[in-house]
Structures are given as C-alpha cells and as structure tokens.
Amino acid sequence: RTSLPRKAVVSTQSTGGPSYWCSSTEVAESCEATAFCQENIWLQKTDEKEVGNYVTCKACMWVFEKVESYILTEENEEKVLAWASKICDHIPESYNETCRSLISDYGKQAIQTLADKVGPAVVCKALGQCTASTELLSYPKSDTCSTCRSTMAEIKGQNTEFFSWWQNACGDVANTLECVKISETAQLLNQAILNDSICEQMEMC
C-alpha cells in the first residue's frame, strides 16, 4: 500500500487522519495525499460497492432461475394455464371460446417462448439489479460472503413485511380465500428459495 503522505503525517493530530485527508480531491491534493487516498480509501470503497452490486445481481439471477424452473414443470404449467383461462371470463362473451382455444393450443408454447426470450438476465437488468458490467464480475467467496448474508437478511425482512401486508389486504378483495391461498403459496416458494443456506447455494460463501 502507499505510505502515508509527508504533509499528512505531520498534521495527523490536527486534521483527523485519513478521514480528513481523503474527504475530497482538493483536500487530498493540499495534503499531498492523492496517491494514498486512491489506493487505500477511494479504491476500497469502490470495490465494496462493486461487491455489493455483484451480490445483488447474482442473487437476482439465481432467484429468477429457481422461479423459472419451478414454473416450467408439467404440473405448474397447467396451473398457470388454468389461471390464464380465467381471464377469458372477463372479455366479451363472443370471444370466450376463441380465448380458451388459444390458451389450450398455444399456452405451453407461449410460456416456453417467453422463458427463452425473457430469462433471468433480462429480468434482472429490467429491474435495475444487473448491468452488463456486473454480469462479468467475479469475486472470491471471502469477499462476497459477508455482503451476501447481510443482503439476504435485509431481503428476508422486506419480504416478511410484504407477505404480511398481502394477507391482510386479502380481506378487501372479493375472493378472500383464493387471495390467501395464492399468498401462502408465494410465501412458501419465497421461504424455499431464501433459506438459511442460500449464500452457500449461490456459491458466495
């Protein structure tokens, strides 16, 4: 690492050390500390941010891969198509049968095509969790484990609040039982994915 700058060493007590020398480029230049700050402070902060971005991106893609693999099973495809067929009840009656026939004949093909074209990478980019640069990053587990665990803990907390709100909101809809059933299924899927060993499963710990 770059050694402490000469002027900064002289003024350590009066200026508060690196937190002051590296508070801005102007201060760093006046203390002849630019090289020190770049290597020891600013670069480290950038690395920490990049690790956080990497963890968030990889987690997003991993989760959507799991969701995709869950949906793309024979049993769950049928559930998705059954749900889609209900939409046909809310369009003009003269088109009901045509709507159901389209879903019956082309529904599975449409799901597979959608999955092929809108994969996890596309979804996570659209959600702002990934960029072209973060997808190319790679870090050792020693750099990602702590960030992964804290990020997952935060997400779990947010999801707990969301599912609590969802189930309470079911009391305000027409089909309360169906709403609760769907929310409970989604919650079970969420718990299965965000389990205690998720960081190990994502190979970040």
Side-chain angles (χ1 to χ4, degrees), residues 5 16 55 98 100 118-119 131 146 162 200:
V55 168
T98 301
R100 292 191 179 90
V118 187
T131 64
S146 176
F162 170 73
E200 283 78 8

Side-chain angles (χ1 to χ4, degrees), residues 68 123 170:
E68 185 178 77
V123 173
C170 285

